Amino acid sequence: MMELIYPLSKMLKNRELSAVELCESYIKKIEAENKKLNAYTSYTFEKARKNAAFADSVLKTGKGGVLCGIPLALKDNICTQGDLTTCASRALESYRPCYSAAVWERLEGEGAVLLGKTNMDEFAMGSTGETGIYPPAKNPNDITRIAGGSSSGSAAAVSAGLSVYSLGSDTGGSVRQPAAMCGAVGLKPTYGAVSRYGLIAHASSLDTIGVIASSVRDAALVFDSISGRDLRDMTSCDVNYNTASALGKADVKNMTIGFSEQFINGAEKTVIDSVKAALSFFEKSGAEIIEIKMPDLEQLLAVYYIIACAEASSNLGRYDGIRYGHRASDCESAEELIIKSRSEGFGSEVKRRILLGTYVLSSGYYDEYYKKACAVREKLKEDFDSIFNTCNFVLTPTSPSVARPLGTEVTSPVENYLSDILTVPVNIAGLPAISLPVKGDGALPAGLQLIGKRFGESELMSAAYFFEQNCLLSLSGGEYSV
Amino acid sequence: MYKLVCGIETHIELSTKAKIFCSCKNGFSAEPNTQTCPVCTGQPGTLPVLNREAVLLAVKAGLAVNCKINSKTHLDRKNYFYPDLPKAYQISQFDEPLCRDGYITLASGKKIRIERIHIEEDAGKLIHENGYTYIDYNRCGVPLIEVVSKPDLETPEEAAEYAEKLRLIMKNAGVSDCKMQEGSMRCDVNVSVHKENEEWGTRTEIKNIGSISDIVKAVRLEMLRQEKLLESGERVVQSTMRYDSAHGRVYVTRIKENSDDYRYFPEPDTVAFEVPESVVEEIRNALPESPDERFERYTKKLALPENKVSLIYGYKNVCGFFDEAVSLGASAENTINLILSTVFAVLKTEEERERFSLKISAADFAELVKLADSKKIRINKAKEILPEMLKSGKPASEYLKEEDLTALSEDELLSLCKTAIDENPKAVDDIKCGKAKALNALLGYVMKASRGKADSSKASELILSLIKK
């Protein structure tokens, strides 16, 4: 994987290549290869060509930022006006929003080129890419394996060169984990750094729009562009980032990295090896590695699922077939219409989580489950904040294992949930984290996760960049060659 | 035999410019679904943004009924499925309402306690027509306050008085136009009955009461229904009732054996918010004179009779006009009389009296009143030309001739009385015989001759004393 945005932007600005030409080359590649990979679930080629023409007109005047004319893909839970935005669900199978998400508005204004919408787990619920209504996205490194989830298509597209970069959503690891599975860089920003306006909600207090790219610098450039306050999202924060300019300025000798054996407990051997090698690299480069005490990770997983399912059960209430989305036929009453439309519209994983969420919010159980989970969450935030008093970053594997085969039988859904154990605490605490692709098991990459302090993306990106540029384990950030 | 326990929950639409969570216009629209946007129709991916004006108006409402303001608070989601609720949850407040522990005082001096006032969003409107049900989302997202009284009301009349008082106070404070017929104020009345010294009975909730007077009717009907049930050995089942004004009855629409589980939890899309003490104080200091304060002022300081004051004190604009006229020197008594007798005869509807937009100014009005005050013209003359002034917008001087403006002198009055006596010997004889009514003929003569300028009581006195001589 190599750095793409700057080199391409330079070529566009030097008029070595036009945005239209660049766009057409990606379109050609998608048409040739997407059927094999299922990265995209719908194309927006007409819009892409319009975007590219606009970008060229801007570039001609000598203006245009670094993202002008650069093609991207968006996860299919990010609203783009007039385009299919389905969340890989029958409930929204034919839905075309009448408005665009804040992130797309911003990018479109900068001349970005939208190639299409990417595959995902239904309503972002899942970590294998298999719970949606479309054939699942395949791992470009080995097409018999999963691309991870829930932003499976976004990661597969970048990894297979079908998009320069993509946006996904990360509620419990859904940007970082697929990035790790596919060998791309996956950035989950601090909660509130990027506007959620137009992101179809899964769990409101956990959802974060993230960036999947082929290098740290690419991720930084996109993040700088999409972050910042949006008046339409009350949870968005007044931040102004320039993380790209912080790259190369990592002060490794004064860096302290927190680690715990807990993180590699039960992980696959290749993952453990990579993590240990990464730690050793940082140590040799002058950083101090300290042992930190993390709260019970399995308890955190329970906290996550209680809160996420509770919020999701409420957020998904609106899919009743009345104003938009799938509407059941031959119904005799409003109640029947609502029940049938939802029963027909949702897949089993979504139904499972709605039931769970409804249960933990119901009277008699609210205090024991939801309220308690929220209290533990507050405690975790405090614990993490104090950890960051003693170290700059926490280092973990992104996932305990590399990509498993598609269609693997799971004896219980909880088994699936356990694979999120390393990414979920980050969402609970609202912190930024980045997954960096490292050598894994043969063709299958693994992911190294660096967690930073709240709104500490600049520091985080520069540490990630240092690793990417200097560690032989790294699979990203190579030099672009035409 | 049976005692009533009654409490009222009132939903009041706030008069903000925009809806509570989006920038759609908050106002009446004839065309359905023309004042909507992705946010208030619950499109996927949209988020609520709290309208500051709504919060400030809600604080004002709380202060107007003596509530304590909960400075630091948050919103909660109330989850349930219904076609008029696009998100399948209503953003409201559950455990930390913005205001609590207020009260309204009734005419009897009894205080009806207000438990809480919280802010929330309104739902859409279902319209049943031709066998179909249509949904209009214009009203979705309109800011509401829910005012919950404690069950302190003990008679149907008290219930109506409380609702009317609440309406007056909120209207006066500029919180809402409080029009029950238009739905900007909706009362749900809770009713239960029990025998003296026994425990309180099960309560039912009556919805769809369209006017203040209907409250009395609805409560009476429900009391009767419950009493009948209890007398026949049956029990009252907790239910939602509907008042049917056309047929004069209340009937059960839904039995609520268990309370609904709305699965309340704090709204994650909005942040907890705070109304600083300084802002609360600012709002408190800017509160207009309350209807009660105005009633006090008019009856005590201006010494106007209660029955007359009660007819205007509820109309903010009328009183504003009244106050201005009086401040310009017009007598309170003549001003209120002219308003009640003449202006209100022209402005007949509630709407017109609320608006009270006249073609003449308070200064013009005061000028007319002062002429009557100084007896330059008779009050009846004023009553005669005022309607003309209201129609044309022209001042009094347009309608009064030079001679109308000069008062009748003592000598002139005396001479007129003498002439009346001379010209009506029969009437004089009748009076001497004790027929007091005959005085009217003589008076009539004097009034006619003086073109209405004579003071009738003075003239009567003079005539009688002249006859005695």
Side-chain angles (χ1 to χ4, degrees), chain B residues 106-119:
Chain B
L106 302 182
S108 62
K110 177 176 176 186
K111 278 203 170 101
I112 306 297
R113 295 167 298 168
I114 288 174
E115 171 150 355
R116 53 182 278 157
I117 299 180
H118 69 258
I119 51 173

Side-chain angles (χ1 to χ4, degrees), chain A residues 95 99 196 198 314-315 323-324 363, chain B residues 42-45 77 79 86 261:
Chain A
Y95 179 65
Y99 76 103
R196 285 184 299 121
S314 177
N315 285 328
R323 287 160 309 289
Y324 47 76
S363 121
Chain B
Q43 299 291 318
R77 288 194 189 177
N79 300 279
D261 184 4

Side-chain angles (χ1 to χ4, degrees), chain B residues 401-412:
Chain B
K401 300 191 273 278
E402 188 54 49
E403 56 196 13
D404 290 321
L405 293 169
T406 54
L408 199 67
S409 69
E410 292 279 341
D411 292 335
E412 280 174 308

Side-chain angles (χ1 to χ4, degrees), chain B residues 163-407:
Chain B
E164 174 57 26
K165 201 65 184 288
L166 180 65
R167 194 181 75 90
L168 252 183
I169 291 171
M170 292 304 172
K171 214 165 32 112
N172 183 74
V175 164
S176 167
D177 62 14
C178 288
K179 293 193 175 139
M180 282 182 83
Q181 340 80 270
E182 281 181 19
S184 52
M185 175 166 151
R186 297 162 232 159
C187 290
D188 295 334
V189 184
N190 294 295
V191 172
S192 80
V193 295
H194 65 277
K195 282 206 173 114
E196 179 111 40
N197 293 324
E198 280 185 13
E199 263 188 28
W200 286 7
T202 307
R203 67 176 154 108
T204 59
E205 184 185 22
I206 314 172
K207 288 170 133 45
N208 196 49
I209 302 177
S211 71
I212 303 286
S213 54
D214 279 349
I215 292 178
V216 180
K217 296 184 192 139
V219 173
R220 279 214 191 109
L221 283 169
E222 180 55 12
M223 282 175 75
L224 265 166
R225 190 191 74 91
Q226 289 190 14
E227 285 169 21
K228 247 184 172 163
L229 277 172
L230 294 171
E231 285 298 292
S232 57
E234 291 179 56
R235 64 183 188 97
V236 174
V237 175
Q238 187 175 13
S239 21
T240 307
M241 321 280 300
R242 203 172 156 84
Y243 174 65
D244 177 0
S245 59
H247 298 99
R249 62 184 194 111
V250 279
Y251 60 96
V252 177
T253 52
R254 200 159 63 101
I255 297 198
K256 293 171 67 161
E257 286 290 9
N258 307 302
S259 53
D260 296 311
D261 184 4
Y262 294 112
R263 302 187 299 285
Y264 285 100
F265 70 100
E267 167 57 82
D269 289 328
T270 61
V271 290
F273 59 95
E274 183 180 356
V275 186
E277 265 309 306
S278 56
V279 174
V280 174
E281 279 320 296
E282 225 180 278
I283 298 173
R284 194 196 302 272
N285 294 334
L287 271 177
E289 179 183 46
S290 76
D292 278 351
E293 286 167 346
R294 192 176 299 135
F295 193 91
E296 270 284 302
R297 182 162 66 87
Y298 284 8
T299 53
K300 300 257 156 55
K301 279 178 78 183
L302 297 179
L304 292 172
E306 282 192 6
N307 64 328
K308 287 190 181 166
V309 170
S310 63
L311 292 171
I312 67 162
Y313 88 114
Y315 300 108
K316 198 156 168 216
N317 291 344
V318 176
C319 295
F321 188 92
F322 171 92
D323 286 335
E324 202 186 333
V326 168
S327 75
L328 293 168
S331 74
E333 195 186 330
N334 277 338
T335 306
I336 198 172
N337 285 340
L338 276 175
I339 290 175
L340 287 174
S341 64
T342 314
V343 182
F344 273 16
V346 175
L347 302 182
K348 297 199 189 80
T349 66
E350 279 298 298
E351 180 85 51
E352 290 171 304
R353 290 176 187 184
E354 293 279 358
R355 231 181 322 128
F356 206 72
S357 86
L358 306 180
K359 285 198 177 144
I360 56 169
S361 66
D364 293 332
F365 196 94
E367 192 195 355
L368 177 68
V369 173
K370 284 197 279 189
L371 288 172
D373 291 340
S374 62
K375 301 269 201 280
K376 286 222 175 105
I377 60 171
R378 303 280 300 114
I379 190 73
N380 288 338
K381 185 76 182 174
K383 286 186 185 177
E384 218 179 273
I385 65 175
L386 182 54
E388 300 302 315
M389 287 168 67
L390 293 173
K391 233 190 284 182
S392 67
K394 298 206 178 107
S397 50
E398 285 287 317
Y399 299 95
L400 294 168
K401 300 191 273 278
E402 188 54 49
E403 56 196 13
D404 290 321
L405 293 169
T406 54

